Amino acid sequence: MSVSQNAGVFGATTTAAEVVDGVDLHGRRAVVTGASSGIGVETARALASAGADVTLAVRDTAAGDRTAARLAAGLPPESGRLTVSRLDLADRSTVAAFVAGWQGPLHILVNNAGVMAPPEITRTPDGHEQQFGVNHLGHFALTTGLHRALAAADGARVVSVSSTGHLLSPVVFDDLDYRFRPYDPWTSYGQSKTANILFAVAAAERWADDGITANALMPGNIGDTNLARHMDMQQVAAFIASGEIALPPEKTVEQGAATSVLLAASPAVAGVSGRYFEDCAEARPVTRRAGEAGGVAPYALDRDNAARLWSVSEALAG
């Protein structure tokens, strides 16, 4: 299914509030992971302002409570309700607890939380390289665990926040956890972001009969975000100077949340599934990394890769 031409009014500078202007989400329920900082906050704000009841799924519930209170104070009276639940994507038990505690349909799931480029290798409690374990496996377990709730919503949308960083690496199936190759913070980040796109491709195919759509996106180059909390900023500066990957113009947080909200709520993309978006539009294909500040690599949309990753993830996530 093609993207509605109505989406053409949106672009790189569109804000999340502009995307939901005139959209009515009353009666719908949404979950946004990592919603206590950065674009997660703005995503939750936009969805709630349109009437959705939004659960902020966060590691630190005290921070989540502060965020919810701040958002509620600034939202109009007809906005949806905000709640906070604990979710640590590195900890399988909290993912299972979140899934077990969810009751009723789920209309929108925004897999927004993430880890970016820790300078030294870190592993989740069950031994996976942290970026692959959190960015992909944690969200895989969460989303598949909530499949029944998504199917019950009759038209649910799953949104996976990926990155232009996926151009840094395909999924290396023979060494997902850096047991054999030297750890590199950027290729590991790239692998996890490719996995986010492949998950959307596989879910779109597997769950089409359930009325569920799944898409992935690049939010943009956003400076004001907690994503970089683990990063060595000198290492980041050296990486940017190397020209390994180009950076698009910087966005505000409000602009960065726009593509997530488009895929989560806009009628302009109703029925669209298995795609990768950036700047509120479907991304163009690219065949190399050098000099590219956007686009989508062919390996990230490959159905065979997507099916293989799904099978591997089922085994790894238990």
Side-chain angles (χ1 to χ4, degrees):
M1 188 172 292
S2 62
V3 180
S4 166
Q5 291 188 352
N6 291 337
V9 302
F10 303 135
T13 61
T14 299
T15 66
E18 290 169 338
V19 171
V20 294
D21 184 27
V23 175
D24 184 2
L25 297 179
H26 287 91
R28 301 192 189 182
R29 305 169 73 202
V31 170
V32 181
T33 70
S36 60
S37 65
I39 64 171
V41 175
E42 292 307 313
T43 301
R45 186 200 310 274
L47 296 176
S49 72
D53 292 331
V54 183
T55 297
L56 283 61
V58 298
R59 287 184 305 118
D60 182 344
T61 53
D65 288 338
R66 291 192 296 271
T67 298
R70 187 172 73 251
L71 289 177
L75 286 169
E78 66 274 14
S79 298
R81 185 167 54 94
L82 296 169
T83 57
V84 177
S85 292
R86 184 164 187 266
L87 177 71
D88 182 348
L89 293 163
D91 183 342
R92 190 178 300 180
S93 67
T94 75
V95 176
F98 186 95
V99 169
W102 186 268
Q103 301 294 322
L106 174 59
H107 302 84
I108 298 166
L109 173 59
V110 183
N111 290 327
N112 167 81
V115 178
M116 184 177 183
E120 304 295 332
I121 192 165
T122 307
R123 299 194 183 276
T124 63
D126 49 359
H128 297 294
E129 186 276 317
Q130 187 184 31
Q131 295 186 88
F132 186 75
V134 170
N135 297 350
H136 171 62
L137 285 177
H139 278 128
F140 179 87
L142 175 69
T143 311
T144 54
L146 291 170
H147 172 252
R148 184 175 298 178
L150 291 163
D154 188 22
R157 300 189 187 191
V158 176
V159 180
S160 295
V161 178
S162 180
S163 170
T164 293
H166 83 274
L167 299 177
L168 294 167
S169 179
V171 172
V172 180
F173 288 99
D174 291 328
D175 192 19
L176 295 171
D177 291 314
Y178 287 79
R179 299 289 184 181
F180 295 93
R181 53 188 167 141
Y183 173 73
D184 176 79
W186 294 110
T187 60
S188 60
Y189 179 67
Q191 172 177 254
S192 72
K193 295 290 101 178
T194 295
N196 291 154
I197 304 172
L198 289 173
F199 173 77
V201 172
E205 185 166 341
R206 287 171 174 262
W207 295 348
D209 290 344
D210 298 314
I212 300 168
T213 60
N215 293 286
L217 70 118
M218 158 66 169
N221 174 21
I222 305 149
D224 185 13
T225 176
N226 199 35
L227 182 63
R229 64 190 180 276
H230 300 289
M231 295 165 63
D232 180 327
M233 298 316 292
Q234 288 185 330
Q235 185 183 55
V236 173
F239 179 74
I240 293 172
S242 74
E244 279 289 306
I245 194 168
L247 290 177
E250 190 166 327
K251 291 186 178 187
T252 65
V253 173
E254 293 81 4
Q255 293 167 340
T259 308
S260 295
V261 173
L262 176 88
L263 294 172
S266 176
V269 293
V272 174
S273 197
R275 314 284 182 85
Y276 174 79
F277 280 65
E278 58 190 4
D279 294 338
C280 293
E282 191 171 349
R284 62 188 171 84
V286 296
T287 56
R288 65 176 190 174
R289 180 179 71 205
E292 296 290 354
V296 61
Y299 54 72
L301 295 176
D302 185 271
R303 289 186 175 184
D304 291 338
N305 287 346
R308 183 179 182 185
L309 180 64
W310 190 285
S311 295
V312 169
S313 301
E314 281 185 323
L316 293 178

